[in-house]
Every structure is written in structure tokens, then in C-alpha cells.
Amino acid sequence: MSIPRYTGRFLAERIFFALLILLAAFILLGSPLFEVREIEVTGNRVVPEEKILELAGINTGTNIFKVNLKEAESRILTMPLIKNASLVREFPSRIVIRVEERKALALLPVKDGFIQVDGEGVCLKESGVGGSLPVVTGVAVPDPAPGDVIRDAKLATALKVLGQLPGSLYSKLSEIHITAGGQVVLYTLEGIECRLGAPADIRKKAGIILQVLEQVKGRQIAYIDLTGVPVVKYLE
């Protein structure tokens, strides 16, 4: 039984193209033109570039097609301060590493000081003393290590509230306290107690607090109570 002429021609073309692809792959994988000569890191402000390059584990001189970008990304993401990482090839010989660092949102008291946490409850690094970040109180958690994720309902409430505050109020805070009943209390750097009540309508309540603070400059306030009808208590 003979093979039709057009079928034989089609088979020959497939074999030819397969060999052509193999030849091209052989040339690309062996050509010095595609050796990695430059590795650029972007997006980092806190994490040193050298540390990111060390975790990526990419060496110059390696063929750019042989670099496993996914594995390099996974290694970079083992660092607590890195939230996202992506690597791209820029032919013929350049790899760009783009990272997004986690941003500390609050401080948690621990045995020997404080630890920074971001909006997702990820512990970033230890801090011996309090800084410019508000301290979360009313939350009892075991001493976490950098990279740990704290899954605590009261902490989640505090972080959600802080994430909704305008920067003009957030920068004035020294503490956010979550009561046993889940009520939210803010304390300003001047020691003014701001009772928000339930963690709802946060932006509206924040606007009221800012308005009060602006209007009563020069007067001493004991507390601002927003658990019901807004009440401002002045110091005698």
C-alpha cells in the first residue's frame, strides 16, 4: 500500500521544521549573546539590593533561557519584608527583578519591645522601642517571629480600622486599643481619647475627630465619644 504523495510531503515538512526548531534551540542555549550580563532590581527601599540578588540566585554568565524565574521569585518571597516579586527577561542578556515591599502599619508589644506588622498581620521586624507607628493594645498574641502571620480577630479589627483612616489622622495617633467587647478606642499623640465604638463608619468618624481637633485648638480635651451622639469632654 503506497503513501499518498501529499502525505509524504507533509510529513517531510514536519520533520524539517522540528529539526529547524531543535537547531535554533541549540544555537540559543549555546550562544554567548544570550548569557546574563545585567540583573536589575527595582521597587526596593528597605531591603538591600544585595540581599535580593542573593536570594534570587541568578549568576551572570548563565544562559538567559536556563534561568528558572519562578524558582527565583519563590526564594525572594521567603523574605518577610517582600510582599510581591516578579522577574522578567529582557533580551538578549538582561533580567529585571521587580519587588513590592510590605509597609509597616502598626506596632505590637512583645516581650522585649515591639514588632512591626503590616495590614495583613505579617510580622516584619522587631523594634526595640516605639516609633512613629501607632501601638496596638488589647491584643494578646504569643511572641511572633518575622515572617509569621498573626491570625487574631482583634488585631484584624485594629489593622482594618487603621487602614481606613486618612493620613492626617493616622499620623496623629499613638495607640489603637480594642476592648474585650470589640470596641475601638484611639489615642492621639497628645493623649486625647477618641472612642469610636463599633468598627463601622470609620471614615465618617475620622472626619468628625479631625473636625473637632481643628475647631478646639488651644483647649484641653479629655475625650471624644462617637459611640452614639458625638460628645466632646473638655478638661476643667
Side-chain angles (χ1 to χ4, degrees):
M1 181 178 179
S2 62
I3 299 175
R5 188 173 301 173
Y6 71 87
T7 302
R9 185 167 61 251
F10 176 72
L11 182 60
E13 289 176 352
R14 291 187 63 181
I15 294 173
F16 172 76
F17 282 115
L19 292 174
L20 191 62
I21 291 172
L22 288 173
L23 178 61
F26 178 78
I27 294 174
L28 292 176
L29 291 175
S31 173
L33 177 65
F34 294 100
E35 290 179 355
V36 176
R37 291 184 175 83
E38 181 183 0
I39 307 171
E40 180 184 1
V41 179
T42 64
N44 61 310
R45 294 184 178 182
V46 178
V47 182
E49 178 178 317
E50 295 75 16
K51 183 62 177 178
I52 295 172
L53 292 173
E54 178 186 343
L55 288 172
I58 302 172
N59 299 315
T60 55
T62 303
N63 187 278
I64 197 168
F65 294 101
K66 294 181 179 179
V67 176
N68 191 318
L69 301 184
K70 290 298 182 183
E71 287 186 0
E73 288 176 10
S74 297
R75 288 192 294 269
I76 294 172
L77 289 174
T78 60
M79 180 176 294
L81 285 173
I82 300 297
K83 183 175 183 179
N84 291 307
S86 63
L87 282 75
V88 294
R89 297 181 179 92
E90 291 189 355
F91 296 106
S93 58
R94 188 165 178 260
I95 289 179
V96 178
I97 302 173
R98 299 187 178 99
V99 299
E100 178 188 356
E101 295 178 338
R102 293 186 180 275
K103 296 179 180 179
L105 185 64
L107 295 171
L108 266 180
V110 292
K111 183 179 179 181
D112 297 318
F114 299 89
I115 192 162
Q116 296 180 359
V117 293
D118 75 345
E120 297 176 354
V122 178
C123 296
L124 305 183
K125 62 179 182 179
E126 295 179 355
S127 178
V129 295
S132 59
L133 299 172
V135 177
V136 179
T137 59
V139 177
V141 296
D143 286 353
D148 290 348
V149 181
I150 301 176
R151 307 190 186 280
D152 179 88
K154 292 172 71 175
L155 176 61
T157 296
L159 296 175
K160 184 177 180 180
V161 169
L162 291 175
Q164 295 181 69
L165 295 178
S168 54
L169 179 56
Y170 173 84
S171 62
K172 298 179 186 297
L173 298 183
S174 64
E175 179 184 344
I176 177 170
H177 179 75
I178 308 299
T179 69
Q183 302 287 291
V184 181
V185 184
L186 306 179
Y187 293 90
T188 70
L189 294 169
E190 290 76 26
I192 300 172
E193 181 181 342
C194 304
R195 304 169 184 172
L196 273 61
D201 301 321
I202 297 302
R203 291 184 177 87
K204 179 180 178 181
K205 293 174 181 177
I208 295 173
I209 292 173
L210 287 171
Q211 186 177 5
V212 171
L213 294 177
E214 180 65 27
Q215 291 178 350
V216 298
K217 284 184 176 179
R219 298 191 63 181
Q220 297 295 314
I221 302 175
Y223 63 80
I224 302 171
D225 192 336
L226 302 178
T227 57
V229 176
V231 174
V232 179
K233 174 65 175 178
Y234 295 97
L235 292 173
E236 299 298 337

